[in-house]
Amino acid sequence: MSVRVTELAEVGVTVLSRWIFNCYLVHDGGDGRALIVDPGLPSTTAAAIAMIEAAGGPKPVVVATHGHVDHVGGLPDLHAFGAQVCLPRRIRDYLAGETPRGPGLPEIAKVRSILREQPWDFGSVFEIARTGRHTGVGGGTARFPNGADHWLAHGDEVPGAPAWQVIQVPGHTDDSLALWNPTTGVLLSGDAVLSRKGRAWFTPEVCDPESAALTEEQLRMLPVGHLLPGHGQPVVGNGLMDRALSPQQRP
Ligand SMILES: [Zn+2]
């Protein structure tokens, strides 16, 4: 099955997806360079690289919203391409010996309805299994052999993509970040907010419910017009955060 391409021309973003895995290509991060967010699969990453090369622009900036293997599988290819790679600063602590926390199986089971919303694609899962052996956070360890060019923290502007602000959104994991563009009202939420049946859904798949509740409170205050989630389809419309489901609700 090939990569699904969805253009959100009104905000200058292309969504590259396979099954439930989304990679976002922001054509101009605010400084003439493209920004790739969550290069989870080698195949969606290759599609993003091909679009950047076709446009003839400079090397892109890359951000992973967190270290889970299904968000970072394309990183080795992006390092090789000469992209500037930015990762959450907490991953540096993992590489220094901190044990990463993540949601357990009962939490993962709470989001299984998302899995049914888009057609199953065996190849995408195979890619994650293959790349996850050498790249990403999983099984209580972190593997990022090439490190990062920049480590991102709350309040940072993304280096090379100044239109985007970093928001710390712990709960799903401790390293989770979201990217917010206050000019266009676009929120790249990673796994902090998912979507289901056209509504935003604060994820019940968390390792820390208290910090997830604070994350929800913080994100609900943003005037989001486009929610681009880590899993599920984009949600568009003013007031979409007012209609967003809480983790306790089941879409
Ligand atoms: Zn995740």
Side-chain angles (χ1 to χ4, degrees):
M1 197 177 286
S2 56
V3 175
R4 257 189 343 265
V5 179
T6 307
E7 294 292 349
L8 300 170
E10 69 278 18
V11 288
V13 178
T14 302
V15 195
L16 302 160
S17 309
R18 288 185 67 177
W19 191 31
I20 57 164
F21 306 108
N22 300 330
C23 171
Y24 294 100
L25 173 60
V26 178
H27 294 274
D28 181 355
D31 211 6
R33 295 171 71 175
L35 167 67
I36 297 174
V37 179
D38 281 346
L41 303 174
S43 55
T44 52
T45 302
I49 289 174
M51 292 180 98
I52 290 166
E53 285 188 311
K59 300 293 185 187
V61 179
V62 181
V63 174
T65 58
H66 59 301
H68 274 160
V69 293
D70 58 328
H71 292 255
V72 298
L75 280 185
D77 298 329
L78 286 163
H79 281 289
F81 182 58
Q84 174 185 287
V85 174
C86 307
L87 295 176
R89 195 156 71 190
R90 191 67 174 257
I91 290 178
R92 203 170 53 179
D93 300 336
Y94 299 157
L95 295 174
E98 182 189 345
T99 301
R101 297 195 299 168
L105 286 177
E107 282 69 43
I108 294 171
K110 291 176 188 170
V111 297
R112 64 183 177 272
S113 63
I114 297 256
L115 310 183
R116 291 193 297 264
E117 193 163 282
Q118 288 158 293
W120 156 256
D121 175 355
F122 174 76
S124 63
V125 179
F126 176 73
E127 281 189 41
I128 288 164
R130 187 161 47 82
T131 58
R133 284 201 293 266
H134 55 73
T135 303
V137 174
T141 58
R143 296 164 298 276
F144 292 88
N146 298 299
D149 299 301
H150 296 280
W151 299 101
L152 300 178
H154 186 78
D156 286 352
E157 197 173 77
V158 176
W164 295 86
Q165 298 170 0
V166 176
I167 305 177
Q168 201 171 317
V169 292
H172 173 63
T173 61
D174 294 314
D175 63 325
S176 291
L177 303 176
L179 298 186
W180 167 238
N181 185 322
T183 306
T184 58
V186 176
L187 181 70
L188 288 151
S189 63
D191 286 359
V193 194
L194 308 173
S195 83
R196 173 87 173 116
K197 293 180 181 167
R199 285 173 84 178
W201 181 23
F202 285 92
T203 188
E205 188 198 351
V206 299
C207 74
D208 186 335
E210 284 77 30
S211 38
L214 293 173
T215 288
E216 179 177 352
E217 201 176 302
Q218 173 181 226
L219 293 182
R220 278 189 184 277
M221 291 191 300
L222 295 177
V224 178
H226 282 72
L227 174 82
L228 308 185
H231 303 292
Q233 304 196 18
V235 184
V236 180
N238 292 327
L240 71 90
M241 279 304 190
D242 300 333
R243 293 187 298 279
L245 299 162
S246 287
Q248 301 76 22
Q249 295 174 287
R250 290 289 172 272

